[in-house]
Amino acid sequence: MARNGQRLRELSLRDLTVDDGFWNERLRLVTDEMIPYQLDTLMDRVPGAPPSRCVRNLRIAAGLEQGTFEGFVFQDTDLAKWLEAVAYSLTRKPDPALEKTADELIDLVCQAQRADGYLNSYFSTLHPGHQFCNLKEGHELYTAGHFIEAAVAYFEATGKEKLLVAMCRFADLICRVFQSPEYEDAVPGHEEIELALMRLYETTHRERYRAMAYDFINRRGTTDYLSREAEMPRFIDVWHDRNPYIPEYGQAQAPVREQTAAEGHAVRALYLLSGMADAAGSYEDEGLLDACRRLYENVTQRRMYITGGVGSSGTLERFTADFDLPNDSAYAESCASIALAMFSKRMARVTGEARFMDTAELALYNTVLAGVALDGKSFFYVNPLEVTPSFCKPATDKAHVEPRRRKWFGCACCPPNIARTVASVGGYVFFTGDGELRLNLFIGGTYKARLGETPVTVTVQSELPWKGRVSLEVKARECLEGRLLIRIPDYAENPRFTLNGASLDPPVEKGYAVLELTGWSARASFDFDMPARLFYADPRVPADAGKAAVKKGPLVYCLEETDNGETLSGLQIDPEEPLSERFEPALLGGVTVVEARGQRTVWDGGLYSAKPPGRTPATLRLIPYCFWGNREPGEMAVWMRLKC
Amino acid sequence: MARNGQRLRELSLRDLTVDDGFWNERLRLVTDEMIPYQLDTLMDRVPGAPPSRCVRNLRIAAGLEQGTFEGFVFQDTDLAKWLEAVAYSLTRKPDPALEKTADELIDLVCQAQRADGYLNSYFSTLHPGHQFCNLKEGHELYTAGHFIEAAVAYFEATGKEKLLVAMCRFADLICRVFQSPEYEDAVPGHEEIELALMRLYETTHRERYRAMAYDFINRRGTTDYLSREAEMPRFIDVWHDRNPYIPEYGQAQAPVREQTAAEGHAVRALYLLSGMADAAGSYEDEGLLDACRRLYENVTQRRMYITGGVGSSGTLERFTADFDLPNDSAYAESCASIALAMFSKRMARVTGEARFMDTAELALYNTVLAGVALDGKSFFYVNPLEVTPSFCKPATDKAHVEPRRRKWFGCACCPPNIARTVASVGGYVFFTGDGELRLNLFIGGTYKARLGETPVTVTVQSELPWKGRVSLEVKARECLEGRLLIRIPDYAENPRFTLNGASLDPPVEKGYAVLELTGWSARASFDFDMPARLFYADPRVPADAGKAAVKKGPLVYCLEETDNGETLSGLQIDPEEPLSERFEPALLGGVTVVEARGQRTVWDGGLYSAKPPGRTPATLRLIPYCFWGNREPGEMAVWMRLKC
């Protein structure tokens, strides 16, 4: 545990205001575009987008409208995540009209809630009186978890208790049911409730929520409940999936403490791990934390794309095998990278180790941001690292790969998940602990915290992700006494620190530079070089062998056809030539472009030929991966062949 | 058409005896191992293999056994293909006991046949009285086609008419039904009947069979019968597939004469094309032949693996898009390469152009042969070009790729298809035409034919595929007058010919060297160099970019882990270094091994690293692809990274 069990905490979003050259536009997009757009989709008001029916389903459940439930069994969660995004947005930009809409939707949710606390529009309308009869596929605990997260967020943002109280009643019901004899070995099919109950515990301090989360975690892999469930009298079939349950798919291949690899559905696995990290920290459970560390290493050292994408198989949206990371058929669901960021942030918080934040940042800046278009109105569910549009053909192995973002999805888990994640990015920036402040992500803004007993305001200025230049000003009304820790990211070269104008060579603790603060205010700076660099992959990843990718700071770069012509696979990069960088203010809202020297294959054979291909010099132009697919549709590639 | 409409013909297998250093063992395997083994599987006598129920189903249909049909709707075809293989085997090695068994099974087939000629154990037992009520999925015409092929083969091999007469009755029923008003726009869901009816026409000369085949071909793509079928009163659901019919999947995206690319299910597409080529030749239909040429070019220049594998998507076993040829998730069904060989042979026959035989030979020597183990008792359905066994995980995108051959399959189309194809390889060797003999494949043996009016016996000796050395002796009882055409394969370097001991530089006609024969006998030789060569792929194939493959003559080579250690993707070949070859008589029954110089990646980073990988010199050892997977299980790769 960090600092002898002294837990680190995030700042409340009410105590911070992001003001950052890079993130302001991302946050504006959430508030001004994504939240209104997504509300329209949830209310079936977007022409050309698949109908969501989300709000309508809840109205039917509340008895306000006649009709039949439509959509996925977890359709309610789209509203839950939207409410969570709204909560975060309101902390940044008060909006009485939006808050009123949210209040009304919360009223609707409460009307759709059963007297005993149960909430789920699918089961309440299609199978009234039935509950928790299909944990494998029914997603009731997953849905509950998202509403609990929304309730906590809305309470923290607005101080309004209505949804929180309602969700406490739901949580109480869950605790009663899942501690009863007939459910004593039951676990959720799709994890999420664990981290949500931990979050509810941290807000309410009700021990039973924490205990229930811990129980769910400890049960997993020790019971065959989900395999037996379809034979139970209470079972209600949902998806008519005749295949036997695959324990590995649901992270039940072994008790969680004994697991050695992250398996199965990637979002489930990483939501579980997020809850596990929370519980490990809260219970100071070293064994559970060891499992988290082991699985984190497995994910990040064997099963993660360089973009922070995880879960390479479109079949079952899952982890597959170590080093099986195909680029052109990658699944790498947006939600899975969100979950990876959530897990990594928790690991950094629980362990005090900065390196976990490298992964959180990687996932956020690349796959999560790539999930939404620059207009905030179309989304990627799947995040490949290589796209040839003609290959992305329906009813083939690459049908899941889409070369263009879509307005919405029948299964729309990703868009509101991206919204709530981007909206809450300020929560990643600082941790507070016992007499210390830790700067994790380099995102400008004003952050209020306590350093020891002293309230302080930290103003951060950052030129990330384009330049390694960060400055902080810490102001207090009392004399400062404490430590300012600054994460040294994995990409920082030649790090240079100043404190109150003087250079210093601070000690480094678990990846954080430690600056001792004294006086009534302090100014610190952290400068480093972060030139674009070529990266190579372990040769056990066949898809990346003989190739290199460009990273600059936290950003992964890619080639697009619109900049480089067709047949990107005919381009090769020369690793001996320097990369050049240029900030282009008019491009994609302002990005640093990287150019590389290399060559292009010249081919005059048929499909196969014994005549070696010719070469002609070429310049390769790369843009940040998170902004791909915002211009002409075409090919895209992260990994480039090395000159040969 | 070849030679002004003068069609070329294959030799009957009764008129030839293959005696060849390479093929004798392959043919022995069919006769001594595959035929007995496959009979055991069809009769459910192989422990550990999935039960076939094939013979049992027919016994139930014949009223000889009680029970319920089990297996796929096309389960009967496994017996049909087996009977065809037996027919060919009997021409090579008479076996009264085997022939008696085959006769008894033919008796069973005839007992299972309905009075009106209809034969299909699935529909006869599960839906008695119903027929042709689900052309999309019911496979009745496909099954009929295979029994017709078996009947023709058995008649040709043994002179016995029983099955042929029975299948003519079935064909007559098909002609009546599918020329009737309610079926006038109907087409088979899975093609095969077209080529089978053409074959039946060639044996019986009954015009109605040819006309029916031609009708089926000409209807395809002009009617929405298969899309409408599920709404018809007579429709019987078979696979409970709720997805709408995809015309492209069934080669119905356009009338066949207007199609520009081979689409959909690869076996269906290539069986259709085989029938189209037959019909184009028979009817001297230049428009249809143009379509065949266009689709042949599309397949072989844009959609074919270097191994002759076709149909890259596991989803729907289908063609996808030009240049979408992933190696590690390749489907490349064994049956699809069989179908490609069939189509290519027909194109060579109809056009008289040798180059089509390059493709037939490629498919036969690589993907088709790879489909069966060296003991004849296990089989590949899917033929990847790159395998990492740990990636081939159930319930993932690569679940269809199997790193080891299996004893049998629930859907067992491939094993008996391989048996009948290998058993009939002698039929590919020569074509006879107007005053000419054409040597297509270099397979030793004794071949009897007519040259003009003169019966001749040609003895071929060949050192293929290890050496480019072929000699022929043509003997006749009369004075020879005619042309001996010898295919110059695409891999022949520095071809050298002799005729009756004298070197000559023969004219080349459509890829065949033309030798004029005179006198009472003739001796000819064809020598050429065929060193192992590196091949490169069009850079529009992303999976092969920056890589090379080794071919020697018709054989594609591959790396196996057992020879090269693990992590084959860490190996790189140096194209500047010469390839060395060595025949190893003790290896895999005797193969020429190729060795290449290159290097191996040395890696000490994590999953991704900015530190360039190191290199250490390495020797790469390659074996023929057709023999992979016969030793220690492990990784395999056809395409190797180029040194960089």
Side-chain angles (χ1 to χ4, degrees):
Chain A
M1 305 298 114
R3 311 262 301 149
N4 302 321
Q6 174 63 38
R7 286 190 56 201
L8 300 168
R9 295 178 302 282
E10 292 174 31
L11 302 188
S12 162
L13 291 186
R14 279 186 305 187
D15 294 333
L16 63 90
T17 306
V18 168
D19 183 11
D20 181 88
F22 182 78
W23 283 95
N24 282 356
E25 172 59 13
R26 315 276 86 75
L27 289 161
R28 186 196 68 75
L29 217 55
V30 174
T31 299
D32 294 353
E33 304 295 342
M34 292 170 74
I35 285 176
Y37 175 80
Q38 294 187 7
L39 179 64
D40 286 341
T41 62
L42 299 184
M43 300 187 78
D44 307 320
R45 299 190 299 222
V46 177
S52 160
R53 306 292 191 229
C54 177
V55 170
R56 180 173 174 272
N57 289 335
L58 283 157
R59 287 181 54 79
I60 296 168
L64 301 173
E65 189 167 332
Q66 294 293 311
T68 304
F69 180 97
E70 289 179 57
F72 278 90
V73 64
F74 46 78
Q75 207 78 355
D76 290 351
T77 58
D78 296 344
L79 177 62
K81 284 183 261 187
W82 182 85
L83 283 170
E84 195 179 344
V86 167
Y88 302 143
S89 178
L90 292 174
T91 65
R92 177 174 177 79
K93 183 182 174 189
D95 180 338
L98 176 62
E99 189 167 334
K100 181 163 177 289
T101 301
D103 286 341
E104 288 166 0
L105 286 165
I106 287 169
D107 291 342
L108 172 63
V109 168
C110 294
Q111 283 181 274
Q113 190 176 23
R114 241 169 37 191
D116 63 357
Y118 181 81
L119 171 67
N120 187 298
S121 75
Y122 175 86
F123 284 96
S124 291
T125 61
L126 296 182
H127 305 286
H130 293 271
Q131 64 186 28
F132 307 122
C133 46
N134 185 340
L135 296 181
K136 190 172 60 147
E137 301 158 345
H139 286 73
E140 289 153 292
L141 292 167
Y142 166 81
T143 303
H146 276 299
F147 273 114
I148 290 169
E149 286 208 88
V152 170
Y154 205 74
F155 170 70
E156 287 182 352
T158 64
K160 293 180 181 171
E161 293 181 359
K162 182 168 184 175
L163 188 59
L164 186 65
V165 169
M167 289 308 107
C168 283
R169 283 172 50 226
F170 195 5
D172 291 339
L173 172 71
I174 289 168
C175 292
R176 284 198 306 277
V177 168
F178 288 91
Q179 299 295 359
S180 72
E182 62 177 336
Y183 283 95
E184 67 185 2
D185 65 340
V187 291
H190 192 317
E191 300 94 323
E192 154 72 18
I193 189 68
E194 302 86 347
L195 74 88
L197 287 172
M198 288 304 301
R199 202 169 164 185
L200 190 61
Y201 160 75
E202 284 168 25
T203 298
T204 64
H205 306 293
R206 285 183 183 161
E207 178 58 32
R208 59 180 174 274
Y209 301 149
R210 179 169 81 146
M212 188 72 250
Y214 203 42
D215 264 5
F216 279 141
I217 290 165
N218 287 324
R219 287 175 191 176
R220 187 162 291 270
T222 68
T223 148
D224 61 352
Y225 183 93
L226 296 181
S227 301
R228 286 187 291 109
E229 193 181 42
E231 307 306 320
M232 295 180 186
R234 64 171 170 257
F235 182 71
I236 290 179
D237 206 355
V238 172
W239 283 350
H240 307 288
D241 178 5
R242 297 275 161 263
N243 297 313
Y245 185 71
I246 305 169
E248 185 190 69
Y249 171 70
Q251 301 72 53
Q253 69 276 18
V256 294
R257 290 156 202 275
E258 296 169 18
Q259 294 183 10
T260 54
E263 299 292 2
H265 190 269
V267 177
R268 298 178 194 219
L270 288 156
Y271 280 178
L272 168 66
L273 283 165
S274 298
M276 282 167 62
D278 283 336
S282 188
Y283 282 102
E284 299 188 20
D285 182 335
E286 288 290 348
L288 195 58
L289 187 60
D290 282 348
C292 291
R293 287 182 183 279
R294 197 162 56 238
L295 295 170
Y296 174 89
E297 292 304 317
N298 174 257
V299 170
T300 58
Q301 291 302 309
R302 289 170 177 255
R303 299 186 174 203
M304 183 183 77
Y305 289 98
I306 195 169
T307 54
V310 279
S312 57
S313 172
T315 304
L316 298 181
E317 311 182 310
R318 62 174 288 180
F319 287 108
T320 58
D322 291 349
F323 309 113
D324 177 32
L325 295 164
N327 293 309
D328 60 345
S329 65
Y331 200 71
E333 183 182 341
S334 301
C335 286
S337 286
I338 289 169
L340 177 62
M342 291 166 63
F343 171 46
S344 302
K345 176 177 71 171
R346 284 162 169 80
M347 288 301 286
R349 183 150 52 76
V350 173
T351 65
E353 294 174 33
R355 66 191 182 94
F356 293 106
M357 273 295 171
D358 292 334
T359 302
E361 189 183 52
L362 185 76
L364 286 173
Y365 277 80
N366 296 287
T367 302
V368 178
L369 286 186
V372 56
L374 283 177
D375 68 359
K377 290 180 182 166
S378 62
F379 306 91
F380 279 132
Y381 192 114
V382 166
N383 293 280
L385 281 79
E386 178 181 319
V387 168
T388 307
S390 61
F391 295 4
C392 304
K393 195 164 168 172
T396 70
D397 283 351
K398 284 195 267 288
H400 62 278
V401 180
E402 298 195 311
R404 305 189 70 165
R405 291 178 184 84
R406 276 167 59 178
K407 282 183 158 185
W408 203 249
F409 305 88
C411 171
C413 50
C414 296
N417 215 1
I418 294 169
R420 70 165 183 149
T421 303
V422 172
S424 62
V425 72
Y428 285 76
V429 178
F430 274 103
F431 291 153
T432 63
D434 185 16
E436 64 176 47
L437 272 174
R438 293 176 176 233
L439 179 64
N440 295 310
L441 296 193
F442 309 103
I443 297 178
T446 307
Y447 301 85
K448 292 179 184 167
R450 284 184 180 268
L451 190 57
E453 298 302 306
T454 310
V456 298
T457 299
V458 188
T459 307
V460 178
Q461 291 187 304
S462 167
E463 295 184 32
L464 272 279
W466 313 121
K467 283 188 191 157
R469 177 177 293 270
V470 184
S471 61
L472 301 94
E473 188 166 8
V474 187
K475 288 188 178 170
R477 276 172 293 173
E478 298 170 43
C479 188
L480 290 167
E481 189 179 9
R483 311 184 330 155
L484 174 66
L485 283 78
I486 299 175
R487 165 175 160 255
I488 305 176
D490 55 0
Y491 49 77
E493 298 178 20
N494 188 25
R496 304 174 292 279
F497 294 89
T498 68
L499 183 59
N500 297 323
S503 293
L504 82 167
D505 185 14
V508 177
E509 195 179 288
K510 293 182 174 178
Y512 290 93
V514 182
L515 281 63
E516 300 288 344
L517 301 186
T518 53
W520 293 82
S521 71
R523 286 173 295 109
S525 73
F526 174 34
D527 288 77
F528 51 92
D529 303 328
M530 47 169 233
R533 291 277 183 223
L534 289 186
F535 273 71
Y536 307 87
D538 188 311
R540 288 174 290 183
V541 182
D544 300 340
K547 296 182 177 177
V550 167
K551 273 185 76 182
K552 174 180 168 57
L555 295 180
V556 175
Y557 276 67
C558 69
L559 300 169
E560 283 201 294
E561 182 177 339
T562 188
D563 293 319
N564 296 283
E566 63 183 5
T567 313
L568 297 181
S569 51
L571 286 172
Q572 298 166 49
I573 193 166
D574 184 345
E576 306 297 325
E577 293 280 340
L579 300 172
S580 69
E581 305 177 23
R582 187 172 60 250
F583 187 77
E584 298 196 4
L587 181 68
L588 297 163
V591 298
T592 295
V593 167
V594 175
E595 286 192 348
R597 300 292 304 167
Q599 55 191 22
R600 180 183 292 279
T601 304
V602 177
W603 184 255
D604 58 6
L607 182 53
Y608 305 109
S609 168
K611 183 181 165 195
R615 316 285 187 207
T616 184
T619 299
L620 290 70
R621 181 176 155 94
L622 299 109
I623 64 153
Y625 174 79
C626 58
F627 293 145
W628 87 272
N630 279 290
R631 296 175 291 165
E632 304 300 309
E635 298 175 40
M636 182 277 290
V638 168
W639 290 96
M640 294 162 286
R641 294 165 53 197
L642 293 167
K643 180 182 170 183
C644 62
Chain B
M1 305 298 115
R3 311 262 302 151
N4 302 322
Q6 175 64 38
R7 287 193 55 203
L8 299 168
R9 294 178 304 281
E10 293 174 33
L11 302 188
S12 163
L13 292 186
R14 279 186 304 187
D15 293 332
L16 63 90
T17 306
V18 168
D19 183 11
D20 182 88
F22 183 79
W23 284 95
N24 282 356
E25 172 59 13
R26 315 275 86 76
L27 288 161
R28 187 196 68 75
L29 217 55
V30 174
T31 299
D32 294 352
E33 303 296 341
M34 293 170 72
I35 285 175
Y37 176 81
Q38 294 187 8
L39 179 64
D40 285 342
T41 62
L42 299 184
M43 301 188 77
D44 305 321
R45 297 190 300 220
V46 177
S52 159
R53 305 293 190 230
C54 177
V55 170
R56 181 173 172 272
N57 290 334
L58 284 158
R59 288 181 53 80
I60 296 168
L64 301 173
E65 190 167 330
Q66 294 293 310
T68 304
F69 180 97
E70 289 178 58
F72 278 90
V73 66
F74 45 77
Q75 207 77 357
D76 291 350
T77 57
D78 297 343
L79 177 62
K81 285 184 260 186
W82 183 85
L83 283 170
E84 196 180 343
V86 168
Y88 302 142
S89 178
L90 292 174
T91 64
R92 177 174 176 77
K93 184 184 172 187
D95 180 338
L98 176 62
E99 189 167 333
K100 181 163 177 289
T101 301
D103 286 340
E104 288 166 1
L105 286 164
I106 287 169
D107 291 341
L108 172 63
V109 168
C110 294
Q111 283 181 275
Q113 189 175 23
R114 243 170 34 194
D116 63 356
Y118 182 80
L119 171 67
N120 187 298
S121 74
Y122 175 87
F123 283 96
S124 291
T125 62
L126 295 181
H127 304 287
H130 293 271
Q131 65 184 28
F132 307 123
C133 46
N134 185 338
L135 297 181
K136 188 172 61 145
E137 301 158 345
H139 285 72
E140 288 154 290
L141 292 168
Y142 167 81
T143 303
H146 276 300
F147 273 114
I148 289 170
E149 287 208 87
V152 170
Y154 205 73
F155 170 70
E156 287 182 353
T158 65
K160 293 179 181 172
E161 293 181 0
K162 181 168 185 175
L163 189 59
L164 185 66
V165 169
M167 289 307 106
C168 282
R169 282 173 51 224
F170 195 4
D172 291 340
L173 172 71
I174 289 168
C175 292
R176 284 197 306 276
V177 168
F178 288 91
Q179 299 295 359
S180 70
E182 63 176 336
Y183 282 96
E184 67 186 1
D185 65 341
V187 291
H190 193 317
E191 300 93 325
E192 154 71 18
I193 190 70
E194 301 86 346
L195 75 89
L197 287 173
M198 288 303 302
R199 203 168 163 185
L200 190 60
Y201 160 74
E202 284 168 25
T203 298
T204 64
H205 306 292
R206 284 184 183 162
E207 177 60 30
R208 60 179 175 275
Y209 301 148
R210 179 169 82 147
M212 188 73 251
Y214 202 43
D215 264 4
F216 279 141
I217 290 165
N218 287 326
R219 287 176 191 176
R220 187 161 291 271
T222 67
T223 147
D224 62 351
Y225 184 93
L226 296 180
S227 301
R228 287 187 289 108
E229 191 182 42
E231 308 306 320
M232 295 180 186
R234 64 170 171 257
F235 182 71
I236 289 179
D237 206 355
V238 172
W239 282 351
H240 306 287
D241 178 5
R242 296 275 162 265
N243 296 313
Y245 185 71
I246 306 168
E248 184 189 70
Y249 170 70
Q251 301 72 54
Q253 68 275 18
V256 295
R257 290 157 203 275
E258 296 169 19
Q259 294 184 12
T260 53
E263 300 292 2
H265 189 271
V267 177
R268 297 178 195 218
L270 288 156
Y271 281 177
L272 168 66
L273 283 165
S274 297
M276 282 167 61
D278 283 336
S282 188
Y283 283 101
E284 299 188 21
D285 181 336
E286 287 288 349
L288 195 58
L289 187 61
D290 282 347
C292 290
R293 286 182 184 279
R294 198 163 55 240
L295 296 169
Y296 174 89
E297 292 304 317
N298 175 258
V299 170
T300 57
Q301 291 303 307
R302 290 169 178 256
R303 300 188 172 202
M304 182 183 77
Y305 289 98
I306 195 169
T307 53
V310 280
S312 57
S313 172
T315 303
L316 299 181
E317 310 182 309
R318 62 174 286 179
F319 287 108
T320 57
D322 290 348
F323 309 112
D324 177 32
L325 295 164
N327 293 309
D328 61 344
S329 64
Y331 200 70
E333 183 182 341
S334 301
C335 287
S337 287
I338 288 169
L340 178 61
M342 290 166 62
F343 171 46
S344 302
K345 177 177 68 174
R346 284 163 169 79
M347 287 300 286
R349 183 150 51 78
V350 172
T351 64
E353 294 174 32
R355 66 191 182 94
F356 293 107
M357 272 296 170
D358 291 335
T359 302
E361 188 182 53
L362 185 76
L364 287 173
Y365 276 79
N366 296 288
T367 302
V368 177
L369 285 186
V372 56
L374 283 177
D375 68 356
K377 290 180 182 166
S378 62
F379 307 91
F380 279 132
Y381 192 114
V382 167
N383 294 280
L385 281 77
E386 177 181 320
V387 168
T388 307
S390 62
F391 295 3
C392 304
K393 197 166 167 172
T396 71
D397 284 350
K398 284 195 266 290
H400 62 278
V401 181
E402 298 196 312
R404 304 187 70 164
R405 291 180 185 83
R406 276 167 60 179
K407 282 182 158 187
W408 203 247
F409 305 88
C411 171
C413 50
C414 297
N417 215 0
I418 295 169
R420 70 164 182 149
T421 303
V422 172
S424 62
V425 73
Y428 285 75
V429 178
F430 273 102
F431 291 153
T432 62
D434 185 16
E436 64 177 45
L437 272 174
R438 292 177 175 234
L439 179 64
N440 295 310
L441 296 194
F442 308 102
I443 297 179
T446 306
Y447 301 84
K448 292 180 183 164
R450 283 183 181 268
L451 191 57
E453 299 302 306
T454 310
V456 297
T457 300
V458 188
T459 308
V460 178
Q461 289 187 303
S462 167
E463 294 184 33
L464 272 279
W466 314 121
K467 282 189 192 157
R469 178 177 293 270
V470 184
S471 59
L472 300 95
E473 187 166 7
V474 187
K475 286 187 180 169
R477 277 172 294 174
E478 298 169 44
C479 189
L480 291 166
E481 189 178 10
R483 311 184 333 152
L484 173 65
L485 283 78
I486 299 176
R487 166 176 159 254
I488 305 176
D490 55 0
Y491 49 77
E493 299 179 18
N494 188 24
R496 304 175 292 279
F497 294 88
T498 67
L499 183 60
N500 297 323
S503 294
L504 83 165
D505 185 13
V508 176
E509 193 179 290
K510 292 183 175 178
Y512 289 92
V514 182
L515 281 64
E516 300 288 344
L517 301 187
T518 53
W520 294 82
S521 71
R523 283 171 298 108
S525 75
F526 175 34
D527 286 78
F528 52 93
D529 303 328
M530 46 169 234
R533 291 277 182 222
L534 289 187
F535 274 71
Y536 306 87
D538 187 312
R540 288 174 289 184
V541 183
D544 301 339
K547 296 181 177 177
V550 167
K551 274 186 76 183
K552 176 181 167 55
L555 295 179
V556 175
Y557 275 68
C558 69
L559 299 169
E560 283 201 294
E561 181 177 340
T562 188
D563 293 319
N564 297 283
E566 62 183 6
T567 312
L568 296 181
S569 50
L571 285 173
Q572 298 165 50
I573 193 166
D574 184 344
E576 306 297 324
E577 293 280 340
L579 300 172
S580 69
E581 305 177 24
R582 188 173 59 250
F583 187 76
E584 298 196 4
L587 182 68
L588 297 163
V591 297
T592 295
V593 167
V594 174
E595 286 193 349
R597 300 293 305 167
Q599 55 191 21
R600 181 183 291 279
T601 305
V602 177
W603 185 255
D604 59 4
L607 182 53
Y608 305 109
S609 169
K611 184 180 162 195
R615 316 285 187 209
T616 185
T619 299
L620 288 70
R621 181 176 155 94
L622 298 109
I623 64 152
Y625 174 79
C626 58
F627 294 146
W628 87 273
N630 278 291
R631 294 175 294 166
E632 305 300 309
E635 298 174 38
M636 182 277 290
V638 168
W639 289 96
M640 294 162 286
R641 293 165 54 199
L642 294 167
K643 181 181 170 183
C644 61

